[in-house]
């Protein structure tokens, strides 16, 4: 296990091929992916192929991480940072199984990812994007201290851009 972060209830680790079933199930719920612009995987094999080709850890030193419950060792979803070279920026993202919504996991892990980004990776700015209609995700971005920058397009829908900066 390649643990990256720990919160009071969870630990975050690198995604592995062994997470393919979880990834497939997570993206199979239409409510979970409603505001993401993503499509469900065709099969567990498709999720496995995605994970086999997921290499931002080697390329940039960070990426999206599996969120694991410390008590039950259960996969709750993912949260993490994503570098976009075409924009030269790092984006915070998160996705959880519906049964874990409204329990503070997104806020808890997103806040921890921000701290890691600023304190360990020495980033000076992290952004968060969401579809404007995704009020739950917008609320998380605001709760962790991000500020609204502008309305923007997000996966061909009306979206919002938030950011947080720090002077290193």
């Amino acid at each position: 296990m390649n643990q990256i972060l720990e919160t009071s209830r969870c630990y975050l680790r690198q995604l592995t091929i062994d997470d393919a079933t979880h990834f497939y199930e997570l993206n199979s719920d239409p409510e979970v992916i409603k505001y993401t612009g993503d499509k469900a995987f065709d099969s567990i094999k498709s999720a496995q192929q995605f994970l086999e080709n997921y290499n931002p850890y080697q390329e940039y030193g960070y990426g999206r991480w599996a969120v694991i419950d410390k008590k039950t060792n259960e996969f709750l979803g993912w949260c993490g940072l994503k570098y976009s070279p075409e924009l030269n920026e790092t984006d915070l993202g998160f996705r959880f199984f519906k049964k874990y919504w409204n329990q503070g996991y997104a806020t808890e892990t997103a806040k921890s990812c921000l701290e890691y980004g600023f304190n360990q990776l020495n980033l000076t700015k992290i952004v968060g994007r969401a579809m404007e209609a995704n009020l739950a995700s917008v609320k998380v971005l605001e709760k962790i201290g991000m500020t609204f920058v502008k309305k923007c397009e997000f996966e061909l829908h009306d979206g919002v851009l938030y950011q947080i900066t720090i002077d290193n």
Side-chain angles (χ1 to χ4, degrees), residues 11 13-30 32-33 38-51 65-69 72-79 95-100:
Y11 64 87
R13 62 159 172 78
Q14 288 185 357
L15 294 163
T16 69
I17 295 168
D18 294 335
D19 295 318
T21 300
H22 301 300
F23 246 61
Y24 172 76
E25 291 170 353
L26 185 64
N27 280 22
S28 292
D29 186 331
V32 170
I33 62 171
D38 291 339
K39 291 183 168 75
F41 290 109
D42 295 337
S43 63
I44 293 173
K45 181 73 173 163
S46 296
Q48 184 177 0
Q49 289 170 336
F50 170 83
L51 291 167
W65 298 303
V67 177
I68 308 297
D69 184 287
T72 65
N73 218 31
E74 192 169 347
F75 183 101
L76 307 180
W78 58 260
C79 184
R95 187 174 305 169
F96 291 86
F97 281 108
K98 197 168 32 181
K99 65 183 177 179
Y100 301 113

Side-chain angles (χ1 to χ4, degrees), residues 45-105:
K45 181 73 173 163
S46 296
Q48 184 177 0
Q49 289 170 336
F50 170 83
L51 291 167
E52 285 172 351
N53 295 311
Y54 188 73
N55 69 350
Y57 310 128
Q58 295 79 21
E59 198 168 348
Y60 305 116
Y62 57 93
R64 307 296 201 203
W65 298 303
V67 177
I68 308 297
D69 184 287
K70 285 179 5 181
K71 289 183 183 173
T72 65
N73 218 31
E74 192 169 347
F75 183 101
L76 307 180
W78 58 260
C79 184
L81 304 170
K82 175 183 172 185
Y83 180 69
S84 297
E86 65 280 0
L87 299 172
N88 190 30
E89 67 183 17
T90 298
D91 171 79
L92 172 72
F94 43 85
R95 187 174 305 169
F96 291 86
F97 281 108
K98 197 168 32 181
K99 65 183 177 179
Y100 301 113
W101 290 2
N102 300 311
Q103 296 180 41
Y105 288 111

